[in-house]
Amino acid sequence: MAITEEHVLNAISGVIDPNLKTDYTSIGAVKDIVINGRDVSLTIELGYPAKSLHDDIVRKVRNAVGTIGGVGNITVNVMTRIITHAFQTGPRPVKGVKNIIAISSGKGGVGKSTTTANLALALVAEGAKVGVLDADIYGPSQPTIMGVSELPMSSDGERVDPIEQYGLQIMSIGFMMDDVQPLAWRAPMVTQALMQLLEQTAWKDLDYLLIDMPPGTGDVQLTLSQKAPVTGAVVVTTPQEIAVLDARKGLMMFQKMHVDVLGVIENMSAWVCPCCGEITHIFGQDGGKRMSEAYGVPSLGQIPINAAMCMQTDGGMPAVAAEPDGVMARIFRDIAHRLTGIIARKPKDRTGIFPPIKVVS
Ligand code: ADP
């Protein structure tokens, strides 16, 4: 019996992607099927960056195709194609940026900036083009975390070039203010400055732009979630009840503004003793997880307290850059897969296909 495309697609329909939570056949991710006698070759096209998963995907798909009777050589390629996904109605896309992810928290000091930096680096390691916009007016810490001290310049005299570091494109509100200025700025001025930074930075072909948001749910956060084309928001919290209560307000603010909440990350979830491996829940247990269950949003992961990570972050080289194969890098990689797997399941942005409507009287 001759092998057909249908045989191949049927065989692969049993392979479930752990981050897309679906099989490759039903979402049309199986491309370029070539059947040459008994030999089969094909490509799996992923909508999210997952370099470290490619070998595993190839193995599973090969095994599945191998169940077809009489099959010969099997060649499986995996590639990623990231598209622009839908965002809230109103804003227009930002030039050079496919998807914006707002990283938020209820309180300061829960590790939102640390999480943003490491998550961005994990996405780069997985093969994505990533930018970070530090919009945390109360404590713009990305320049410190990323070890960046030079000020951005403009090469075309119109837009400002982001600073490139560790494979990321970085822009910070901190580049525009000195230590005392932020307190003197009124909310409309801050939002205007942030929108300008977002729109007038010369982002180059970004798959994801992570915005390190100011903590809380004030005017600035509200306006940003209204004016910036946000694919989705991520809420970072520590497990203690008092932090979760504030994080909850942030989650509700995004839902009210029709910004999709992509998930909750619980930081400082536990202390793992480096000597004996005993786990101590210093700040309580599973607060972020419980919040995600209560509000029906995904739990993206739990990050333990890690003394080395604290020193690396404060010293200008985040954990994922300092130890790309370390345990913290693995945790952030898993979170990156879950997050971008969720984004990949969102519908495509359709604003680009309609030309602006002109009213003629
Ligand atoms: P936020 O942006 O929420 O204000 P930061 O990311 O600036 O918080 O983190 C506050 C401090 O906590 C920093 O010194 C950072 O290095 C440290 N920190 C964050 N997450 C962890 C963690 N999981 N383990 C150890 N230290 C952490």
Side-chain angles (χ1 to χ4, degrees):
M1 186 187 64
I3 298 172
T4 64
E5 243 186 67
E6 206 183 338
H7 290 139
V8 176
L9 289 171
N10 271 342
I12 299 174
S13 68
V15 184
I16 307 290
D17 183 286
N19 300 297
L20 298 171
K21 312 263 187 241
T22 182
D23 70 280
Y24 299 119
T25 300
S26 63
I27 56 166
V30 188
K31 308 277 184 191
D32 306 331
I33 303 177
V34 177
I35 301 162
N36 196 349
R38 296 187 312 118
D39 299 342
V40 175
S41 79
L42 61 94
T43 298
I44 300 292
E45 188 183 275
L46 294 178
Y48 70 105
K51 252 189 198 165
S52 64
L53 302 179
H54 284 193
D55 286 351
D56 196 43
I57 295 170
V58 167
R59 188 181 48 79
K60 285 182 182 157
V61 174
R62 274 176 62 92
N63 286 347
V65 177
T67 61
I68 301 171
V71 73
N73 293 324
I74 305 164
T75 311
V76 177
N77 299 304
V78 181
M79 54 99 62
T80 287
R81 193 172 70 90
I82 297 162
I83 58 163
T84 304
H85 293 276
F87 44 83
Q88 75 279 40
T89 321
R92 304 288 303 165
V94 172
K95 205 171 166 191
V97 180
K98 288 185 190 158
N99 297 288
I100 292 180
I101 307 168
I103 314 282
S104 71
S105 70
K107 279 192 187 310
V110 299
K112 168 182 52 63
S113 301
T114 307
T115 304
T116 306
N118 283 292
L119 187 56
L121 288 164
L123 288 166
V124 169
E126 290 302 287
K129 287 203 180 125
V130 186
V132 171
L133 173 62
D134 180 5
D136 188 348
I137 36 159
Y138 306 114
S141 44
Q142 291 302 338
T144 310
I145 294 177
M146 298 290 189
V148 169
S149 52
E150 72 263 40
L151 287 179
M153 312 280 280
S154 173
S155 42
D156 64 2
E158 281 180 18
R159 297 200 300 159
V160 186
D161 299 324
I163 301 284
E164 303 212 0
Q165 177 79 317
Y166 303 135
L168 291 167
Q169 298 175 33
I170 303 163
M171 183 54 71
S172 172
I173 187 86
F175 295 145
M176 293 173 67
M177 49 177 49
D178 59 39
D179 287 348
V180 283
Q181 250 177 336
L183 298 174
W185 285 20
R186 293 199 175 275
M189 239 171 107
V190 177
T191 344
Q192 205 184 348
L194 287 176
M195 284 309 293
Q196 233 169 338
L197 265 196
L198 173 64
E199 286 165 350
Q200 288 177 22
T201 296
W203 305 112
K204 292 177 217 71
D205 200 19
L206 294 181
D207 296 313
Y208 306 103
L209 174 66
L210 273 54
I211 304 189
D212 185 353
M213 296 279 283
T217 51
D219 275 359
V220 179
Q221 295 84 333
L222 266 172
T223 320
L224 264 189
S225 28
Q226 210 170 18
K227 289 193 170 168
V230 182
T231 310
V234 170
V235 180
V236 180
T237 183
T238 47
Q240 59 268 61
E241 213 39 50
I242 203 150
V244 173
L245 273 175
D246 276 359
R248 215 170 269 174
K249 286 186 205 153
L251 193 146
M252 280 154 69
M253 176 197 79
F254 285 120
Q255 288 181 334
K256 224 176 180 169
M257 305 308 287
H258 305 289
V259 171
D260 211 359
V261 179
L262 301 167
V264 176
I265 298 176
E266 189 179 297
N267 187 31
M268 308 193 202
S269 68
W271 162 252
V272 186
C273 174
C275 304
C276 65
E278 190 192 352
I279 296 172
T280 312
H281 293 280
I282 296 176
F283 299 135
Q285 198 171 350
D286 292 337
K289 234 177 167 181
R290 277 199 303 278
M291 180 171 96
S292 67
E293 278 158 19
Y295 286 84
V297 297
S299 164
L300 296 173
Q302 294 179 303
I303 304 163
I305 298 170
N306 181 293
M309 186 162 93
C310 182
M311 279 178 337
Q312 286 155 341
T313 309
D314 297 356
M317 188 179 255
V320 175
E323 293 176 69
D325 298 316
V327 59
M328 297 312 287
R330 207 188 61 229
I331 291 171
F332 281 105
R333 221 165 34 226
D334 288 347
I335 295 176
H337 289 151
R338 271 180 224 125
L339 172 64
T340 50
I342 290 167
I343 294 175
R345 273 149 44 208
K346 277 175 66 86
K348 199 174 168 177
D349 165 46
R350 308 201 76 80
T351 52
I353 60 171
F354 297 113
I357 297 168
K358 257 192 193 163
V359 180
V360 184
S361 58

